[in-house]
Amino acid sequence: MPVWAALLIWLISLTALGIALKTVAQLRRPAEPISLSDELVAIVIPCKGVEPTLPTLLDALTALDLPRYRVFFTIASAEDSALPLIHAWLQQHTSRGECVIFSPPPGLDGKIGNMIGGMRAALAADAGFIAFVDSDTLPSPQFFARLLAPLQNGEIHLVTGARVLTPTEDSLAQWAVSLWMQCSLPGVVQPQWGSAWGGAMALRADILRKLDLDSIWRNAYSDDHTLSSAIRAQGGRIAFASGCFLANPIHGGWPETFDFMIRQLLVLRLHDRRLWLVSWLFIYPLLLPFLAVALWIQGDLLTALTALTALLPLAAALILLNEAAATGLDRPQMRLRNQPLIHRILTPLSLIALHPYALVRTALLRRFFWRGRWYKTQATGIRPLD
């Protein structure tokens, strides 16, 4: 192998390390001073069924550090199993929220339909700010205040938080998908070129009124990537709110892990091709061991060693992102170095195989099953098959 090729390999690895260092610096940046206006904050929570964490979320909603807020729980059917829990909470906190039953129009199914319904109710209530949060998240009392802080000066149009998937079992599959998602943190903390995360994002109501969300989200599989693209298309700015980490518990084993990874990559393929193409660069670590073996067979031992050791900056980048995620959540148990040795070895190694597998599956996928329904991919998004 020519010397320039060996140098290029190391340059790629060092670039990845540099991106990780920049991400960690942003994640550790102190949260902005919180000085909120007294405008009403609408917290829209799309619900379908009872998430295992829903009772804990309901408890958390009673202790938010916000001057004025109202929670809009949105469901598509009066027969939804989450309704009794929501009604019980509303009976105890009548001034804090309402339940919106919204039958979505065609092309606005599932979570996106619920978000549309909650948004309409929030705008009708004359909210000044609207925050969307998933029903399986666990916000701290300060979370929404931090999320809204960057919006106060009017320069930022959309703000996002970040999630860390937290394993609920001592499962290699759960640790693998958690670490896999931590690799996407650079795109979340720099959402102007990456994307906001739909599980926790906020914007001013006057910005939302200028957007035709019904058109933006029609037949969409993603709420966050499509909204981020629309904001950028109008010259708007997207920012990550410092200190806005959310623990997102994960459940299940390898089948659920594969499904989750494929869904995440499918979102990119359908709604943000540039990020989907970037995700193909992550097969680079898989190529290095094969390259090293091929060079070793050819007798080029020095260059083989160069290719193999280029994994070191990538390993350092992974460790740095993991440490930053654990620190942001204040959960030492999320540090990979605190896990059993077998997990510390097998978790990163499993990603080298899982990510390429999920990419190929996503590239070939034309039909998929999600939340009880079959969907077909098409150029304009997805279409239910039943």
Side-chain angles (χ1 to χ4, degrees):
M1 174 185 288
V3 174
W4 66 264
L7 293 176
L8 178 62
I9 289 172
W10 263 87
L11 180 61
I12 294 172
S13 296
L14 290 174
T15 300
L17 179 57
I19 293 172
L21 287 169
K22 183 178 181 180
T23 301
V24 170
Q26 290 179 284
L27 291 174
R28 292 181 176 175
R29 189 176 57 197
E32 296 185 26
I34 299 173
S35 179
L36 301 180
S37 68
D38 61 355
E39 294 179 86
L40 177 65
V41 175
I43 299 173
V44 176
I45 304 179
C47 299
K48 182 179 181 181
V50 179
E51 297 283 355
T53 54
L54 183 59
T56 309
L57 170 62
L58 293 174
D59 289 340
L61 293 173
T62 64
L64 299 182
D65 189 8
L66 288 173
R68 292 179 61 210
Y69 71 94
R70 189 167 181 82
V71 184
F72 294 83
F73 302 96
T74 313
I75 58 177
S77 169
E79 298 178 356
D80 195 286
S81 58
L83 198 57
L85 273 177
I86 293 171
H87 277 167
W89 187 88
L90 291 173
Q91 287 174 0
Q92 297 179 27
H93 310 281
T94 53
S95 63
R96 282 297 184 208
E98 61 183 85
C99 184
V100 179
I101 300 176
F102 179 71
S103 180
L108 295 169
D109 296 320
K111 176 188 173 183
I112 284 177
N114 287 345
M115 293 173 74
I116 290 286
M119 174 204 70
R120 292 181 182 178
L123 292 177
D126 202 26
F129 300 91
I130 296 180
F132 296 100
V133 65
D134 284 351
S135 61
D136 61 349
T137 52
L138 302 173
S140 67
Q142 287 277 310
F143 180 82
F144 288 102
R146 291 173 177 169
L147 186 67
L148 294 165
L151 295 173
Q152 302 301 307
N153 61 16
E155 296 179 0
I156 303 298
H157 297 77
L158 177 65
V159 177
T160 183
R163 67 172 161 182
V164 177
L165 299 182
T166 53
T168 55
E169 303 170 16
D170 187 21
S171 161
L172 179 60
Q174 292 182 10
W175 274 104
V177 74
S178 176
L179 200 60
W180 183 73
M181 282 301 295
Q182 290 169 43
C183 294
S184 70
L185 284 175
V188 178
V189 301
Q190 299 179 64
Q192 191 64 25
W193 69 264
S195 175
W197 168 53
M201 57 185 182
L203 64 170
R204 294 189 61 91
D206 56 352
I207 298 296
L208 193 55
R209 287 190 175 94
K210 296 176 183 177
L211 297 170
D212 183 5
L213 278 188
D214 284 39
S215 296
I216 292 170
W217 281 346
R218 190 171 306 280
N219 295 320
Y221 185 41
S222 162
D223 54 285
D224 41 24
H225 286 276
T226 47
L227 180 57
S228 297
S229 296
I231 292 288
R232 283 193 294 265
Q234 296 189 5
R237 292 179 58 195
I238 312 172
F240 170 71
S242 301
C244 280
F245 272 99
L246 277 176
N248 202 179
I250 51 176
H251 306 271
W254 288 113
E256 292 78 12
T257 294
F258 287 134
D259 287 346
F260 176 83
M261 294 176 70
I262 290 168
R263 285 199 308 271
Q264 296 302 305
L265 291 170
L266 185 61
V267 164
L268 300 185
R269 193 194 108 192
L270 293 174
H271 296 300
D272 202 329
R273 278 275 175 168
R274 62 196 178 89
L275 291 181
W276 189 64
L277 293 174
V278 167
S279 69
W280 281 87
L281 297 178
F282 285 85
I283 66 173
Y284 169 71
L286 175 65
L287 302 178
L288 291 178
F290 287 103
L291 179 60
V293 170
L295 291 168
W296 177 75
I297 293 174
Q298 294 176 9
D300 193 350
L301 300 182
L302 182 59
T303 313
L305 184 62
T306 300
L308 194 60
T309 55
L311 286 168
L312 295 176
L314 301 177
L318 195 62
I319 292 170
L320 286 169
L321 291 174
N322 174 252
E323 290 287 322
T327 301
L329 281 183
D330 194 21
R331 293 193 179 193
Q333 66 271 29
M334 282 301 300
R335 290 187 171 90
L336 191 61
R337 60 184 170 89
N338 290 342
Q339 300 308 307
L341 179 61
I342 189 67
H343 276 181
R344 280 181 276 167
I345 296 172
L346 293 182
T347 301
L349 288 178
S350 65
L351 294 185
I352 294 178
L354 290 177
H355 181 69
Y357 167 79
L359 276 172
V360 172
R361 280 287 306 275
T362 305
L364 300 175
L365 197 62
R366 297 295 178 267
R367 288 162 40 100
F368 64 97
F369 189 74
W370 184 48
R371 292 186 174 179
R373 301 186 71 178
W374 280 99
Y375 293 87
K376 179 181 180 180
T377 63
Q378 53 190 33
T380 56
I382 62 171
R383 179 173 61 84
L385 290 178
D386 51 11

